[in-house]
Amino acid sequence: MSLFGTVGIILQLLIVVALSPLLIGLMRQIRALMEGRAGPGIGQPWRDLRKLMRKQPITPRGTTEVFRFAPPLLVATCLAVAAAAPFVTTASELDPVADLFAVVALLTLGTVALALAGLDTGTAFGGMGASRETTIIALVEPTLLVAIFALSVPVGSTNLGAIVTSSLDDPGQVFSPVSLLAAVALIVVIIAETGRLPVDNPSTHLELTMVHEAMVLEYSGPDLAMVELASSMRLTVFLGLLANLFVPWGIATTGAPLVIAAAVLAFVAKVALLGACLAVGEVFLAKLRLFRVPELLAGSFVLGLLAVAASFFLA
Amino acid sequence: MLTLWRKIRRSGRVAEPAPPRPVGESPAAAAQFGGSVQIRHVDAGSCNGCEVEIASAFGPVYDAERYGARLVASPRHADALLVTGAVTLNMLEPLRRTYEAVPDPKVVVAVGDCARNCGVFAGAYGVAGAVGDVVPVDLEIPGCPPRPEAIVAALRKLTGR
Amino acid sequence: MNPVSGALLGAVIVGALSAVAGLLLPRPARSAVVGVGIAASGVAAVVAGVAAMAGQGASLALPDLLPLSGVVIGVDALGGLFLAVTGGVAVATGIYGMGYCTGGRHGHRTDGRLVQATLPLFVLAMMLVPVAASVGTFLLCWELMALTSLLLVIAEHRRRPAVASAGRWYAVMTQLGLVAILIGLLVFVSNAADGTFAALRVAGHHLSPTVAGLVFVTTLIGFGSKAGMVPLHAWLPRAHPEAPSNVSALMSAAMVNLGVYGIVRVGFDLLGGGPNWWWLLVLSLGALSAVYGILQAAIGTDLKRLLGYSTSENMGLVLIGVGAAGLFASSGDGTLAGLAMAAAMLHIVNHAAFKTLLFQSAGSVVYATGRRDLDDLGGLRVGMPRTTAAFGLGALAASALPPGAAFVSEWLLLQALIHGLPAAGISAAIVMPLAVAAVALTAGLAVATFVKAYGVGFLARPRSPEARSAVESPPSMIAGMAVAGAACIALALLPILVLPAIGAVAGGVVDSGDPVAVTAMTIRLVDVAGSLSPLMLAIALVVGLAATLAGARVFATRRAARAARLWDCGAGPLSARMEYTATSFAEPLQRVFDDVVQAEQDVDVTHHQESSYLVKAVEYRRRVPDRIERRLYDPVLAAMAGWGRAGRRLAPGSVHRYLGYGFYSVCALLILLVVTR
């Protein structure tokens, strides 16, 4: 239990929990400005969460413990990943958990909990959201694991700390065809897993177009606050992984306070920049029909396969 | 994509500057919202005139979202019900159930003359009554239809921004 | 008499005694005694297996017991692993079967003399297959296993006609598999000194590549069919739903493993490894089984058929590991070969645990409601909380998510495949990414399958009167599920309990060192970089959950919770018909994979007599057939039926014609003898 590792974990948890709603706020504000509106300010999601915590909890009749415990489990998976992944420091105390396969599987566990909660409500919308979400997860898995494969070949390991350290030691690796192909494949995967346009519209009101929102139609009050916090934390965690796997400069490898402070700033800046690019891109995109999404995911799978082939033939 | 980008550059900011804060009493529950109000719109039997004005209120020109109000799909996610139209017989029970589905603290806003007192449809055979006869109403917005500025002013009373 | 032979002998004796008891005892005591007997022999088998894996072997030769070949028993580490797995499954299903065979309110009794006597014999045969050390003994035990399982599968054939058809398919495919194994092993024996495995091992190094290839392919066909390998899997989704649930659990969790045992024994041990194409064949067939099996499971709605296809999928994953191990071994990379083999074996152990639990809970549902179709179930949480929890645990394990059991073995398998890229050349460069993609697609579809099975079958509201009136199972069934559940949890959180022994066995099979270094907290790979801590992951989740709940309590305003009606858009009451069914849940997947699945639809419209513009009734039927059966089996069966019909013309019933056949064939024979003199 080193001080460096412990400080790293605490800082990462604080940043991810405190700043992820601000990331959503930033994305909504950018979208508003591009649409010519004034927007509510980037602090609005925190006001929403604060108000939700003041609301009355409602237990729908006929639901079981699965419905009650899915939101805390979802938040717990995001917290576990935020603590383990190398966002601010490379030496996490939870290093044996910081395996890329384990991290991805943990995030999938959160989605599964929410899908089961959707089915537990017994309403048609809940089932529909669960069905669509699990279809998308099933089709995203091959791309995700093949992209992880491509990332692990130059390093010889799927440990997140090892991959980040290897990118730090060899900056030119970032511009290799392997990295670029894997990055594009991972961007499509992140869009699918976090439910952003063009795979899913997080602000739609039409239930028949919903994927993620349909599973949470029945939640209210503190449960809904947990679900919304978890979804913003997932986006932050995914963007943080994308940033630090490919562009890790700024991450703290030693325990000096100045270095750690710089690492915090670098992480926040990278995630904010990626979020802003995502928000700008979303303005130009419309949601794809559900049955066109597999075509998009198949295309990203081909890119992932090409990345692996490149890592072998160009090694 | 480029045409859209050029249009964005050309339009710039479309939202009009915010008018001064509205005066008048806010409903008691509004104090707990703290600048964030999620709104579920219910059409209890409206001619859709009020809906057009609400859409305009949330559009770029008046931009009600900048004051912290947001439209949501499920009443469980909502704090306020925005009810338009006189309550028809078929919408009597659904409106009650929607009101029950909203968690406390909640407010009901009656938008337009039909919601307030049935407007031109008072006494019609398909109308059960005004919104106030079915669920307790906290705020009323007069007009047939009310102007978007009036709707935005009422929402600002709820959010306090 | 060392522990291994003592425990094995004890297992055999207790098993035989239970069979006799099942035959002789009256009805009330019969199932209890048989159940306890099976559990006891299972415990003895586990002891024997664990001791064998620890290095103690045993062997026994009884040349006079059987004519022509005698009986040779030899327990080594590899056999010990499968012996232990079989024993563990027997313990859980023995206890479970005590309550299950009484039939339940809607189910059917299976405590007749024949079934109760055959059950211990089936378990006994499954224990003896991995310890057989000569071809004669092996085939004898294999056939005993096949016959006893057939008798158990058709246990309920008088009540349901589908059982008889399933039994026929199972019988024919098992016997065809036996013929294939027989041909392979006999070709092998003909090139060796005698039929014992020791002699075969010696001869295996000197076989010509053609003969070795022939032996391997024929035994692969036979053993692969037993393991549920696609395209020889057609018996599995038919036999598993129709058998009683404790038998299904035994078949799925213990019997199919013996197919993999056969492939590993013949391929690695007796033939001493082989050229690349053998293992590429195994790997591709494994990948095909995994993807096809889980796709059919994702789309199906029959709970037990879904679990049967899931067995096919898991055996496919195991065969991917075995194939990868063979590839790495033949290219000289011993550590990776050991790692892949360890992953495959750990997956066998994990699969045995969670598949037993899943079949037991499915049996519990059948016991309480008499229904197997997910579209008729639902809302079982209220009446059957323990079964719901058990199925949830099994489903978590089966979907390869942390903190489930199968996550660890899939992680090991993926690590083996990933690190194999630089080593084995261009063929590996193409095969490994595709194998990883297959494993990934399988994992994703498994998540969809088990979310569907658990969510539609157990949660929300009941869709039929039987589901509404379901009550919890009797204590013996709960106890059986508890044993399997405890095994699942132990394997998920503390792989140190089994992984060192499995690593040693895997290293022994591929002739390398121990591929994993395990502590109570972490699994570390040897010679390659990689580590995982399932326990730390579970602790992190629990701490996160506790922190979230505490945070919610601290930051939320204290308000009394209110029970409310589900949000149904304010209109009428929500009926059970409005819930999502398993068919609708799987519909997007079925559309995406429509080229493979090709569902068949029938729409029958009945018009009114008076006018064809008025519709009286519309009937819609949709079936998702097994596409491989349609494409591969139906033409073969049609051809055989055609042959049979053509052959009938040769035997029209006239005695004169038959006498003529005799006369002409004797004449032809005489002419032939004269000419070839």
Side-chain angles (χ1 to χ4, degrees), chain B residues 16-112:
Chain B
E16 289 183 352
R21 277 263 189 101
V23 295
E25 269 206 19
S26 308
Q32 303 190 44
F33 293 154
S36 150
V37 174
Q38 259 76 294
I39 299 172
R40 186 14 160 110
H41 164 254
V42 181
D43 179 348
S46 142
C47 69
N48 277 352
C50 293
E51 274 76 1
V52 173
E53 303 304 319
I54 293 175
S56 191
F58 280 93
V61 175
Y62 297 99
D63 196 19
E65 271 201 37
R66 79 179 111 167
Y67 309 111
R70 191 158 55 94
L71 288 171
V72 287
S74 166
R76 293 248 195 268
H77 300 184
D79 314 299
L81 285 182
L82 214 60
V83 189
T84 53
V87 182
T88 53
L89 292 173
N90 281 348
M91 279 302 287
L92 188 57
E93 193 53 37
L95 180 58
R96 278 205 195 107
R97 289 195 186 171
T98 311
Y99 180 73
E100 272 168 25
V102 181
D104 284 325
K106 55 189 165 189
V107 296
V108 175
V109 182
V111 180

Side-chain angles (χ1 to χ4, degrees), chain C residues 208-234:
Chain C
S208 75
T210 338
V211 173
L214 175 69
V215 169
F216 185 73
V217 170
T218 45
T219 52
L220 179 66
I221 290 175
F223 288 126
S225 171
K226 180 61 79 181
M229 188 176 75
V230 163
L232 302 166
H233 67 287

Side-chain angles (χ1 to χ4, degrees), chain A residues 31 191 195-202 278 282-283 285-287:
Chain A
R31 191 193 178 97
I191 291 177
R196 313 293 307 180
L197 288 165
V199 173
D200 182 19
N201 185 351
L278 191 60
E282 284 188 346
V283 172
L285 288 171
K287 185 178 115 64

